[in-house]
Amino acid sequence: TAPRPPPPAHADARRYCRPSSSNIDGEPVVAPPSWIAVISLPVSLSSTCTFRSAAVAKMRPDPVEMTPPLTVALEVYQQAPNKRLVITRDAHGTSTEGFNGTLGWANNDRGTRLTEGDELAGQKRDAELFRFINLRQSYPRMVVLGKEKVADREAYVVGATASDNSREKLYFDTATGLLIRKFVTFKTALGVIPEVTDFDDYRDAGGLKLPFTISWSRAPFTATQKFTEIKINVAIDDKRFEKPGK
Protein backbone atom coordinates (compact mmCIF):
# COMPACT_ATOMS: atom_id res chain seq x y z
CA THR A 1 0.00 0.00 0.00
CA ALA A 2 0.91 3.61 -0.22
CA PRO A 3 2.88 5.22 2.60
CA ARG A 4 0.54 6.34 5.32
CA PRO A 5 1.84 9.64 6.67
CA PRO A 6 2.86 9.17 10.32
CA PRO A 7 3.00 11.67 13.17
CA PRO A 8 5.80 14.27 13.23
CA ALA A 9 9.10 13.23 14.72
CA HIS A 10 9.97 16.28 16.77
CA ALA A 11 7.63 15.92 19.75
CA ASP A 12 8.63 14.29 23.02
CA ALA A 13 6.13 11.47 23.43
CA ARG A 14 7.05 10.57 26.98
CA ARG A 15 5.60 13.61 28.68
CA TYR A 16 2.13 13.00 27.18
CA CYS A 17 1.53 9.36 28.10
CA ARG A 18 -0.14 9.82 31.47
CA PRO A 19 -3.48 8.03 32.12
CA SER A 20 -6.51 10.14 32.99
CA SER A 21 -9.22 9.15 35.44
CA SER A 22 -11.56 7.92 32.68
CA ASN A 23 -11.70 4.28 31.61
CA ILE A 24 -12.86 2.23 28.67
CA ASP A 25 -12.85 -1.57 28.63
CA GLY A 26 -10.98 -1.45 31.93
CA GLU A 27 -8.04 0.46 30.44
CA PRO A 28 -7.04 4.04 31.26
CA VAL A 29 -8.01 6.49 28.56
CA VAL A 30 -5.26 8.83 27.44
CA ALA A 31 -6.09 11.96 25.50
CA PRO A 32 -4.22 11.65 22.19
CA PRO A 33 -0.99 13.59 22.61
CA SER A 34 -0.18 16.33 20.15
CA TRP A 35 2.24 14.17 18.21
CA ILE A 36 -0.53 11.73 17.27
CA ALA A 37 -3.40 14.21 17.02
CA VAL A 38 -2.60 16.75 14.31
CA ILE A 39 0.28 17.46 12.00
CA SER A 40 2.22 20.54 13.04
CA LEU A 41 4.99 20.78 10.49
CA PRO A 42 5.30 23.68 8.01
CA VAL A 43 3.48 22.02 5.11
CA SER A 44 0.07 22.70 3.60
CA LEU A 45 -2.28 19.75 4.14
CA SER A 46 -5.57 21.06 2.81
CA SER A 47 -8.73 19.33 1.66
CA THR A 48 -7.15 19.16 -1.81
CA CYS A 49 -3.78 17.77 -0.66
CA THR A 50 -2.25 15.15 -2.95
CA PHE A 51 0.50 12.55 -2.67
CA ARG A 52 2.37 10.87 -5.50
CA SER A 53 4.89 8.14 -4.79
CA ALA A 54 6.92 5.52 -6.61
CA ALA A 55 8.22 2.28 -5.12
CA VAL A 56 9.71 -1.11 -5.81
CA ALA A 57 7.98 -3.94 -3.96
CA LYS A 58 9.20 -7.47 -3.32
CA MET A 59 6.48 -9.96 -2.49
CA ARG A 60 6.35 -13.65 -1.69
CA PRO A 61 2.85 -14.56 -2.91
CA ASP A 62 2.68 -18.13 -1.62
CA PRO A 63 5.64 -19.73 0.22
CA VAL A 64 3.61 -22.92 0.70
CA GLU A 65 3.57 -23.42 -3.06
CA MET A 66 7.25 -22.42 -3.24
CA THR A 67 6.35 -19.41 -5.38
CA PRO A 68 9.50 -17.36 -6.01
CA PRO A 69 9.60 -13.75 -4.77
CA LEU A 70 7.98 -11.28 -7.16
CA THR A 71 9.41 -7.80 -7.79
CA VAL A 72 7.00 -5.12 -9.02
CA ALA A 73 7.13 -1.38 -9.65
CA LEU A 74 4.44 0.73 -8.01
CA GLU A 75 3.03 4.19 -8.65
CA VAL A 76 0.59 5.49 -6.04
CA TYR A 77 -1.57 8.60 -6.35
CA GLN A 78 -3.70 9.90 -3.49
CA GLN A 79 -5.93 12.92 -3.12
CA ALA A 80 -7.57 14.13 0.06
CA PRO A 81 -9.73 13.17 1.63
CA ASN A 82 -10.19 9.65 0.22
CA LYS A 83 -9.20 9.02 -3.40
CA ARG A 84 -6.47 6.60 -4.41
CA LEU A 85 -4.94 5.00 -7.51
CA VAL A 86 -2.30 2.25 -7.56
CA ILE A 87 -0.50 1.24 -10.76
CA THR A 88 1.47 -2.02 -10.59
CA ARG A 89 3.94 -3.11 -13.28
CA ASP A 90 5.75 -6.44 -13.42
CA ALA A 91 6.98 -8.96 -15.96
CA HIS A 92 3.40 -10.02 -16.67
CA GLY A 93 2.08 -6.58 -17.51
CA THR A 94 0.30 -3.65 -15.84
CA SER A 95 -2.64 -3.65 -13.46
CA THR A 96 -4.41 -0.78 -11.72
CA GLU A 97 -6.85 -0.37 -8.88
CA GLY A 98 -8.59 2.74 -7.66
CA PHE A 99 -11.09 4.26 -5.28
CA ASN A 100 -12.89 7.47 -6.26
CA GLY A 101 -14.29 8.28 -2.83
CA THR A 102 -17.35 6.06 -3.34
CA LEU A 103 -16.63 3.21 -5.78
CA GLY A 104 -13.65 0.88 -5.93
CA TRP A 105 -12.42 -0.87 -9.06
CA ALA A 106 -9.63 -3.09 -10.39
CA ASN A 107 -8.27 -3.43 -13.92
CA ASN A 108 -5.89 -5.91 -15.57
CA ASP A 109 -5.50 -7.80 -18.85
CA ARG A 110 -8.73 -9.69 -18.10
CA GLY A 111 -10.80 -6.51 -17.94
CA THR A 112 -12.24 -4.10 -15.38
CA ARG A 113 -14.48 -4.93 -12.44
CA LEU A 114 -15.99 -3.16 -9.46
CA THR A 115 -14.70 -4.27 -6.07
CA GLU A 116 -16.93 -5.23 -3.16
CA GLY A 117 -16.90 -6.73 0.31
CA ASP A 118 -13.58 -6.91 2.14
CA GLU A 119 -11.65 -5.84 -0.94
CA LEU A 120 -13.66 -2.63 -1.23
CA ALA A 121 -13.40 -1.99 2.52
CA GLY A 122 -9.61 -2.32 2.26
CA GLN A 123 -9.46 0.13 -0.65
CA LYS A 124 -11.60 2.62 1.24
CA ARG A 125 -9.42 2.33 4.34
CA ASP A 126 -6.18 2.73 2.39
CA ALA A 127 -7.55 5.78 0.55
CA GLU A 128 -7.96 7.80 3.76
CA LEU A 129 -5.04 10.16 3.23
CA PHE A 130 -5.12 11.76 6.67
CA ARG A 131 -5.65 8.52 8.60
CA PHE A 132 -2.28 8.58 10.33
CA ILE A 133 -1.99 12.37 10.41
CA ASN A 134 -5.15 13.18 12.34
CA LEU A 135 -5.48 10.17 14.60
CA ARG A 136 -8.01 11.87 16.86
CA GLN A 137 -10.49 11.80 13.98
CA SER A 138 -9.49 8.37 12.67
CA TYR A 139 -9.53 6.72 16.10
CA PRO A 140 -12.08 8.27 18.49
CA ARG A 141 -10.86 6.00 21.30
CA MET A 142 -7.19 5.50 22.11
CA VAL A 143 -5.49 4.10 25.18
CA VAL A 144 -1.85 3.67 26.07
CA LEU A 145 -1.32 -0.02 26.81
CA GLY A 146 2.33 0.12 27.85
CA LYS A 147 5.73 -0.31 26.26
CA GLU A 148 7.15 -3.06 24.08
CA LYS A 149 10.28 -3.71 22.05
CA VAL A 150 10.04 -3.49 18.26
CA ALA A 151 13.30 -4.95 17.01
CA ASP A 152 15.90 -2.92 18.92
CA ARG A 153 13.62 0.06 19.64
CA GLU A 154 11.37 0.72 22.60
CA ALA A 155 7.85 1.75 21.64
CA TYR A 156 4.69 3.03 23.29
CA VAL A 157 1.78 0.74 22.42
CA VAL A 158 -1.50 2.55 21.76
CA GLY A 159 -4.75 0.61 21.48
CA ALA A 160 -6.79 2.45 18.83
CA THR A 161 -10.49 1.92 18.07
CA ALA A 162 -11.79 3.30 14.77
CA SER A 163 -15.26 4.69 14.09
CA ASP A 164 -16.36 1.30 12.73
CA ASN A 165 -15.26 -0.30 16.04
CA SER A 166 -12.32 -2.09 14.42
CA ARG A 167 -9.27 -2.22 16.67
CA GLU A 168 -5.59 -1.84 15.99
CA LYS A 169 -2.39 -1.49 17.97
CA LEU A 170 -0.11 1.38 17.01
CA TYR A 171 3.53 1.40 18.10
CA PHE A 172 5.35 4.74 18.48
CA ASP A 173 9.10 5.01 18.98
CA THR A 174 9.64 6.43 22.47
CA ALA A 175 12.69 8.38 21.29
CA THR A 176 11.21 10.02 18.18
CA GLY A 177 7.43 9.76 18.42
CA LEU A 178 7.34 8.14 14.97
CA LEU A 179 4.88 5.38 14.11
CA ILE A 180 6.96 2.24 13.57
CA ARG A 181 4.40 -0.59 13.63
CA LYS A 182 0.71 -1.27 13.12
CA PHE A 183 -0.78 -4.55 14.35
CA VAL A 184 -4.26 -5.88 13.61
CA THR A 185 -5.93 -9.29 13.64
CA PHE A 186 -8.47 -10.83 11.27
CA LYS A 187 -10.97 -13.58 12.01
CA THR A 188 -11.03 -16.29 9.36
CA ALA A 189 -12.41 -19.80 9.00
CA LEU A 190 -8.96 -21.03 10.07
CA GLY A 191 -8.85 -18.86 13.17
CA VAL A 192 -7.43 -15.45 14.04
CA ILE A 193 -4.62 -14.27 11.74
CA PRO A 194 -2.33 -11.40 12.74
CA GLU A 195 -1.24 -8.74 10.27
CA VAL A 196 1.84 -6.62 10.95
CA THR A 197 2.93 -3.48 9.08
CA ASP A 198 6.33 -1.97 9.92
CA PHE A 199 7.37 1.57 8.96
CA ASP A 200 11.06 2.41 8.61
CA ASP A 201 13.63 4.62 6.86
CA TYR A 202 11.88 7.90 7.66
CA ARG A 203 12.93 10.85 5.51
CA ASP A 204 11.76 14.39 4.93
CA ALA A 205 9.25 14.74 2.07
CA GLY A 206 7.90 18.22 1.55
CA GLY A 207 8.09 19.03 5.25
CA LEU A 208 6.74 15.70 6.50
CA LYS A 209 8.62 12.78 8.01
CA LEU A 210 7.46 9.80 5.96
CA PRO A 211 8.51 6.12 5.90
CA PHE A 212 10.33 5.13 2.72
CA THR A 213 10.29 1.42 3.65
CA ILE A 214 7.07 -0.39 4.56
CA SER A 215 7.08 -4.11 5.37
CA TRP A 216 3.85 -6.10 5.59
CA SER A 217 3.16 -9.65 6.66
CA ARG A 218 0.07 -11.83 7.06
CA ALA A 219 1.01 -15.50 7.13
CA PRO A 220 1.98 -16.99 4.79
CA PHE A 221 2.37 -13.80 2.72
CA THR A 222 4.96 -11.03 3.01
CA ALA A 223 5.79 -7.87 1.08
CA THR A 224 8.31 -5.04 1.36
CA GLN A 225 7.92 -1.68 -0.37
CA LYS A 226 10.89 0.63 -0.82
CA PHE A 227 9.87 4.07 -2.05
CA THR A 228 12.17 5.94 -4.39
CA GLU A 229 10.25 9.21 -4.20
CA ILE A 230 7.30 10.78 -2.43
CA LYS A 231 5.95 14.12 -3.60
CA ILE A 232 3.30 16.23 -1.86
CA ASN A 233 0.79 18.67 -3.37
CA VAL A 234 1.38 17.66 -6.98
CA ALA A 235 -1.24 18.19 -9.69
CA ILE A 236 -3.35 15.05 -10.27
CA ASP A 237 -6.21 14.88 -12.76
CA ASP A 238 -9.34 13.89 -10.82
CA LYS A 239 -10.36 11.60 -13.69
CA ARG A 240 -7.49 9.24 -12.87
CA PHE A 241 -9.44 7.90 -9.88
CA GLU A 242 -12.47 6.95 -11.97
CA LYS A 243 -13.18 3.45 -13.28
CA PRO A 244 -11.72 3.03 -16.81
CA GLY A 245 -14.30 3.28 -19.56
CA LYS A 246 -16.63 5.38 -17.47
Side-chain angles (χ1 to χ4, degrees):
T1 61
R4 301 181 175 100
H10 64 283
D12 181 356
R14 290 166 291 186
R15 66 189 182 92
Y16 292 103
C17 295
R18 294 192 296 268
S20 71
S21 58
S22 300
N23 285 272
I24 179 171
D25 297 335
E27 295 287 352
V29 173
V30 178
S34 62
W35 52 274
I36 63 169
V38 292
I39 201 75
S40 58
L41 294 182
V43 61
S44 173
L45 292 177
S46 67
S47 59
T48 58
C49 176
T50 59
F51 277 67
R52 185 184 71 196
S53 55
V56 175
K58 290 187 178 181
M59 299 177 285
R60 185 174 290 277
D62 194 344
V64 176
E65 298 294 331
M66 301 299 291
T67 305
L70 177 66
T71 299
V72 302
L74 298 176
E75 285 182 61
V76 184
Y77 298 83
Q78 288 188 258
Q79 179 174 297
N82 61 345
K83 295 183 179 182
R84 187 169 186 260
L85 172 71
V86 180
I87 304 172
T88 303
R89 296 183 175 89
D90 60 25
H92 303 289
T94 300
S95 62
T96 58
E97 64 173 68
F99 183 78
N100 68 359
T102 304
L103 297 176
W105 52 270
N107 173 269
N108 56 29
D109 57 2
R110 293 188 294 273
T112 303
R113 61 180 175 82
L114 291 175
T115 56
E116 56 186 16
D118 290 342
E119 184 180 13
L120 176 60
Q123 287 181 317
K124 181 178 180 180
R125 183 172 57 251
D126 290 340
E128 295 174 1
L129 184 57
F130 294 152
R131 187 180 184 197
F132 288 102
I133 291 179
N134 189 347
L135 292 188
R136 191 187 299 274
Q137 178 177 332
S138 302
Y139 301 99
R141 293 182 292 174
M142 287 185 282
V143 299
V144 175
L145 304 176
K147 296 180 183 178
E148 291 184 21
K149 280 282 191 178
V150 176
D152 60 346
R153 291 177 287 183
E154 187 176 61
Y156 286 107
V157 185
V158 176
T161 302
S163 300
D164 62 0
N165 287 323
S166 60
R167 298 188 178 189
E168 301 176 0
K169 286 184 179 180
L170 307 177
Y171 295 73
F172 297 92
D173 190 312
T174 59
T176 65
L178 291 169
L179 178 66
I180 57 175
R181 172 169 288 181
K182 179 175 73 74
F183 175 89
V184 64
T185 59
F186 294 90
K187 292 183 178 179
T188 71
L190 301 177
V192 176
I193 297 178
E195 178 182 291
V196 178
T197 305
D198 287 332
F199 306 90
D200 202 359
D201 188 20
Y202 276 86
R203 307 178 200 173
D204 180 82
L208 291 176
K209 285 285 190 180
L210 299 178
F212 274 65
T213 298
I214 300 177
S215 301
W216 171 90
S217 64
R218 185 199 294 183
F221 310 106
T222 62
T224 299
Q225 299 177 12
K226 291 185 178 293
F227 289 86
T228 56
E229 68 171 3
I230 301 175
K231 295 184 177 181
I232 299 174
N233 288 334
V234 296
I236 300 176
D237 188 343
D238 205 51
K239 294 180 181 179
R240 300 202 69 169
F241 304 102
E242 299 297 334
K243 176 175 171 286
K246 182 176 178 180

